[in-house]
Amino acid sequence: MILLSPVMMILRVLSQTVVLALAQIYNNKIRTMLTTLGIVVAVGSIILIMGSLSGMQRGVLSEFEQFGAKRVFMDGTLPPSWRGKLNWREVQLQQEEVDAIREHVTSLDKLCAMYFGAYDIQYEEIILESVRTTGIEPSWHDIENREIMEGRRFSSIDIEQASNVCVINEKAIEELNLPKDAVGEFILLSGRRFIIVGIVETIERSAMFGGGDTQTEMYIPISTAMNLNPDGWINYAQGEMKNPDDADNVVAEISFVLRKMRGIEPDQDDTFDVQVMQNIIDDFNKIAFVMTLITGLVVLVSLIVGGIGIMNIMLVSVSERTREIGLRKAMGAHPIVILMQFLVEAVVLCLAGAAVGIAVGQLCLMGVRNMPIEMLKDAAAPFWAIALSAGLSAAAGIGFGMFPAIRASLLNPIDALRHE
Amino acid sequence: MTISIRNLEKVYKLGTEKGKALEVRALDGVTLDIEQNEYVAIMGTSGSGKSTLMNILGCLDKPTGGQYSLSGIPVHKMSSAALARVRNEQIGFVFQSFELLAKQTALKNVTLPMVYSRTNWIGARKRAKVALERVGLGERLTHRPNQLSGGQRQRVAVARALVNNPSILLADEPTGNLDSTTTEEIIALFQELHDAGQTIVIVTHEEEVAGQAKRIVRLRDGKVMSDFPTEEDPIHQEFLRAKAATAMRLAEEVAT
Ligand SMILES: Nc1ncnc2c1ncn2[C@@H]1O[C@H](COP(=O)(O)OP(=O)(O)OP(=O)(O)O)[C@@H](O)[C@H]1O
Ligand SMILES: [Mg+2]
């Protein structure tokens, strides 16, 4: 009997707190439902919103990554301070500049100038009009890393001799109705005969980088492109650095070379622009951070609104609860036991609400992931959003649930009982 | 001695007006002894301090002055936690407005004091059933308060007040919300309890109800005005004479 008594005491306290709390939850089904509903909506919507947002961010980042974090772009620009002194044509990159950069910027691994044009292409009866035709250098193959399905890549001899050779993609073979093994076939490009020396794989480009549907692509040596259209210019040059952490150095070195070649004085603006993928990613991350912040704020406001809802439901029953607490006190309940009962009730309600909310939120996110939207494929709620929403709504529920209980448990039984 | 109070005071402070403290002296020096097995009625005009006194006797409220000892223990010095235990083990309280939990059955309502009891929480259900049978509600165990008549509700409340075998049963106008037949029911129940040895203190406005008690204490302005055994209480005797006279007159009228 003496050994049993602590066990009995624990059982007695449990029956006074946990059992009563659960009975209370069961007996006040509507209040239970409304309270938990508030928490479910708050937690669920936050998980959904934050999950979608961060999924979108991850999706975009992975596209950038796929594109290559080591990638560097440069092209000529005409800042306002140079207008009148130079025209836009004069600031475009020159082949010598590209070659100089290739030679002097050691942290740069590969570099390739891009010379765009659009020509009519004919094979037998089929004529395709204005096909995008890019003049490239052999290093293009290393940078783009696209598989040669048949034939060969461009060589430096092709460039030196400005040969009429071309590399096309599979899509072009389809469009021109070329034989499966098209290497060695001749096509007419702007009326000149070009021999197909290689076939490059067609890659799916995401909508973000001007893809969506695959295009007919045609590549020729850059020297050939310049001969075909002497009025064109190098649209841009793209390179790859040895180490993505070198971004700042690479930009500085390229700028140094170009400024020197162009004779730009120290107090004058650049007439070119060097973009590093990493910088673009950083910019995007900044935007994404601000977006998360704004959404976070909206979410916070909605949490507060949800909290006020929870508070309302809890406060509606304050007089009823205060009287009940008064009665329980009159019947001899220890004040702490009463508080425990109400605490257990609030905690159980809020935990259940948060759990259901997390489940609902995750289910919705699953739906989002299955939507045919590429960017939302990785939608997943960050842990902090789950913790924050569950924590705040639980705090609201427990706080507003406990507040009247604490106040009532401090009253004289008769004052609590006579509460209006 | 079950209840012993000395110079009990209860002053309600209602703030200040024009620099003077506004206060109500609801109890102004009450001294009273109540022995075991007594059946006492407390009477007085409205606002004379009856409920205030009962609440203090029931440890639901604390006096602002004076001494109160219950079964020899000085209650006025106790902490609120200790008072909770006294209420649970020594006191059964019946309210004018029943104060039952609306969403719970009669059985659950009667179980309530035992939930907080150190000794009676095991087997509480069975005890509650016995208590309800004792007040004649053996057939109404699972009824909720709104499915019971006023008299039945008050009987549930009485059963609840008795389940922990309190040393005193306190009832503040237990028949105040009841009609005359149900009042008689409750009064008969109290009589039965008293016969079984229960100490009872009851507040009432009705001389009929007070007449069942063995002693009548009358309050006025927070003070004891008179304290007599029922058969010696002049006001009650006057009431009985008037009642007898009316009955005579009625009988004569019927006869003629
Ligand atoms: N909580 C309170 N605050 C202030 N004054 C109070 C409070 N409770 C009672 N009083 C005052 O104390 C006095 C006694 O009240 P009490 O309720 O004891 O009277 P009562 O004899 O029970 O009257 P009734 O027969 O109407 O029930 C009254 O003047 C009342 O206004
Ligand atoms: Mg009263």
Side-chain angles (χ1 to χ4, degrees):
Chain A
M1 206 53 209
I2 286 166
L3 273 177
L4 264 178
S5 64
V7 177
M8 293 308 262
M9 199 181 95
I10 290 167
L11 280 179
R12 176 161 59 89
V13 171
L14 280 182
S15 78
Q16 290 170 354
T17 55
V18 177
V19 174
L20 281 182
L22 295 180
Q24 193 81 278
I25 290 172
Y26 179 80
N27 286 331
N28 299 291
K29 289 185 199 70
I30 294 189
R31 195 172 57 87
T32 299
M33 264 169 50
L34 287 176
T35 314
T36 41
L37 192 72
I39 297 174
V40 167
V41 170
V43 174
S45 58
I46 285 160
I47 287 178
L48 179 60
I49 293 172
M50 296 322 271
S52 306
L53 197 71
S54 73
M56 205 151 80
Q57 188 180 349
R58 257 198 306 277
V60 171
L61 280 181
S62 81
E63 299 225 329
F64 278 135
E65 233 114 75
Q66 201 187 326
F67 211 72
K70 292 198 266 183
R71 206 64 81 82
V72 186
F73 298 93
M74 62 214 78
D75 60 356
T77 56
L78 190 59
S81 59
W82 279 97
R83 281 189 196 139
K85 292 178 218 156
L86 287 174
N87 67 36
W88 66 272
R89 190 71 175 73
E90 288 165 322
V91 298
Q92 297 307 325
L93 289 175
Q94 302 299 313
Q95 187 64 53
E96 306 82 66
E97 291 173 331
V98 175
D99 291 338
I101 292 168
R102 198 181 348 251
E103 192 181 334
H104 296 299
V105 179
T106 48
S107 47
L108 209 56
D109 210 11
K110 305 148 188 164
L111 186 63
C112 166
M114 309 284 283
Y115 195 94
F116 288 153
Y119 304 102
D120 296 346
I121 292 168
Q122 185 179 0
Y123 176 72
E124 291 178 349
E125 271 81 60
I126 299 173
I127 299 175
L128 299 179
E129 287 179 0
S130 287
V131 174
R132 167 166 274 214
T133 305
T134 314
I136 56 171
E137 299 177 275
S139 53
W140 178 87
H141 294 287
D142 300 320
I143 296 170
E144 282 284 312
N145 218 356
R146 280 165 69 174
E147 200 188 333
I148 299 292
M149 319 284 291
E150 303 279 350
R152 63 167 177 90
R153 325 168 4 141
F154 284 138
S155 67
S156 45
I157 299 167
D158 293 325
I159 309 292
E160 272 164 38
Q161 300 185 340
S163 341
N164 283 355
V165 292
C166 66
V167 167
I168 60 175
N169 70 347
E170 295 162 286
K171 177 84 182 221
I173 293 180
E174 225 174 89
E175 298 271 303
L176 288 167
N177 204 15
L178 280 156
K180 268 274 160 301
D181 181 13
V183 175
E185 295 288 330
F186 284 93
I187 56 169
L188 283 181
L189 191 151
S190 190
R192 287 160 220 231
R193 271 159 59 88
F194 275 71
I195 184 166
I196 300 172
V197 295
I199 298 159
V200 72
E201 67 175 329
T202 303
I203 54 161
E204 295 266 353
R205 284 262 174 92
S206 74
M208 233 184 97
F209 295 109
D213 54 347
T214 53
Q215 292 181 328
T216 304
E217 290 174 287
M218 171 78 48
Y219 297 96
I220 56 177
I222 192 164
S223 45
T224 315
M226 286 171 172
N227 290 344
L228 269 177
N229 175 22
D231 295 333
W233 60 91
I234 293 174
N235 294 70
Y236 65 90
Q238 56 174 326
E240 210 173 275
M241 33 185 172
K242 287 179 177 142
N243 183 347
D245 299 333
D246 260 355
D248 290 344
N249 284 340
V250 170
V251 173
E253 286 175 45
I254 294 172
S255 299
F256 177 77
V257 172
L258 282 175
R259 285 179 76 95
K260 202 170 163 206
M261 290 188 77
R262 294 187 171 192
I264 300 171
E265 300 292 330
D267 60 340
Q268 286 176 315
D269 290 330
D270 290 344
T271 53
F272 55 87
D273 186 29
V274 184
Q275 289 263 5
V276 183
M277 204 53 173
Q278 195 55 49
N279 290 351
I280 300 174
I281 292 175
D282 289 347
D283 283 350
F284 170 76
N285 272 337
K286 269 180 218 149
I287 296 168
F289 177 72
V290 171
M291 251 162 76
T292 309
L293 219 64
I294 292 170
T295 333
L297 227 67
V298 172
V299 157
L300 203 71
V301 169
S302 70
L303 262 187
I304 290 170
V305 172
I308 291 172
I310 295 169
M311 177 179 79
N312 256 323
I313 295 157
M314 290 289 200
L315 289 188
V316 161
S317 52
V318 163
S319 341
E320 191 192 331
R321 309 208 115 193
T322 306
R323 280 197 294 273
E324 183 187 326
I325 289 171
L327 180 65
R328 289 183 185 277
K329 290 193 81 170
M331 297 294 123
H334 194 287
I336 289 171
V337 165
I338 295 181
L339 277 185
M340 294 249 290
Q341 177 199 330
F342 283 80
L343 180 66
V344 170
E345 184 188 338
V347 167
V348 168
L349 273 184
C350 293
L351 284 188
V356 175
I358 290 170
V360 167
Q362 298 286 18
L363 269 175
C364 293
L365 269 186
M366 231 155 87
V368 167
R369 277 196 289 271
N370 286 330
M371 286 196 305
I373 298 172
E374 188 75 12
M375 265 177 215
L376 291 173
K377 251 181 12 203
D378 291 332
F383 177 74
W384 66 263
I386 300 177
L388 182 83
S389 60
L392 282 185
S393 48
I398 293 171
F400 296 133
M402 285 303 287
F403 169 67
I406 291 171
R407 222 182 36 179
S409 73
L410 293 175
L411 288 175
N412 260 341
I414 197 70
D415 292 334
L417 205 51
R418 298 280 168 258
H419 186 85
E420 303 281 281
Chain B
M1 192 113 55
T2 303
I3 288 174
S4 170
I5 56 178
R6 292 286 172 276
N7 295 315
L8 205 66
E9 282 183 14
K10 179 73 183 181
V11 180
Y12 289 107
K13 295 225 159 25
L14 300 172
T16 52
E17 196 176 84
K18 289 170 195 152
K20 278 175 113 188
L22 268 184
E23 52 176 47
V24 177
R25 297 187 79 80
L27 290 181
D28 193 6
V30 174
T31 297
L32 198 65
D33 287 320
I34 296 173
E35 308 284 337
Q36 212 170 339
N37 295 341
E38 268 201 276
Y39 186 176
V40 182
I42 294 178
M43 299 197 70
T45 51
S46 185
S48 56
K50 306 183 292 295
S51 295
T52 308
L53 177 61
M54 284 298 265
N55 292 339
I56 293 171
L57 290 183
C59 300
L60 299 174
D61 206 354
K62 284 184 172 179
T64 49
Q67 291 95 48
Y68 170 23
S69 62
L70 182 63
S71 309
I73 312 158
V75 168
H76 59 278
K77 289 180 185 163
M78 282 186 170
S79 68
S80 58
L83 280 177
R85 195 165 162 200
V86 170
R87 287 194 293 273
N88 186 258
E89 293 173 358
Q90 309 244 32
I91 291 161
F93 209 105
V94 176
F95 302 89
Q96 178 175 353
S97 47
F98 321 135
E99 305 293 351
L100 300 174
L101 291 176
K103 287 175 182 138
Q104 313 251 321
T105 61
L107 198 62
K108 271 264 161 23
N109 267 292
V110 175
T111 314
L112 194 62
M114 292 186 284
V115 168
Y116 299 111
S117 159
R118 287 175 185 231
T119 47
N120 292 348
W121 68 283
I122 298 172
R125 226 183 125 79
K126 203 163 167 200
R127 242 183 277 264
K129 221 166 129 182
V130 171
L132 279 169
E133 275 157 8
R134 189 171 166 199
V135 298
L137 289 176
E139 309 291 305
R140 301 280 187 277
L141 300 180
T142 57
H143 285 55
R144 287 171 208 283
N146 61 0
Q147 298 165 323
L148 294 169
S149 74
Q152 287 170 331
R153 281 183 219 183
Q154 197 56 298
R155 278 188 280 163
V156 172
V158 172
R160 181 181 65 186
L162 293 173
V163 277
N164 277 341
N165 295 318
S167 34
I168 45 171
L169 176 65
L170 302 172
D172 189 356
E173 299 195 44
T175 59
N177 282 359
L178 302 177
D179 61 27
S180 56
T181 23
T182 39
T183 294
E184 272 165 35
E185 268 173 44
I186 295 296
I187 290 314
L189 180 59
F190 274 64
Q191 190 62 52
E192 228 174 273
L193 294 171
H194 173 64
D195 292 344
Q198 182 69 53
T199 312
I200 300 174
V201 181
I202 180 173
V203 167
T204 182
H205 275 297
E206 298 162 76
E207 290 290 342
E208 308 256 15
V209 175
Q212 295 296 318
K214 301 292 174 285
R215 174 179 166 195
I216 299 178
V217 176
R218 293 183 192 273
L219 296 185
R220 177 192 269 168
D221 298 334
K223 294 190 173 77
V224 177
M225 185 184 83
S226 71
D227 181 357
F228 292 109
T230 307
E231 57 270 19
E232 292 171 25
D233 186 275
I235 300 171
H236 190 68
Q237 294 312 314
E238 179 58 37
F239 163 78
L240 288 181
R241 270 195 296 278
K243 194 176 149 193
T246 321
M248 288 269 278
R249 211 170 340 108
L250 272 174
E252 274 167 22
E253 273 170 28
V254 171
T256 51

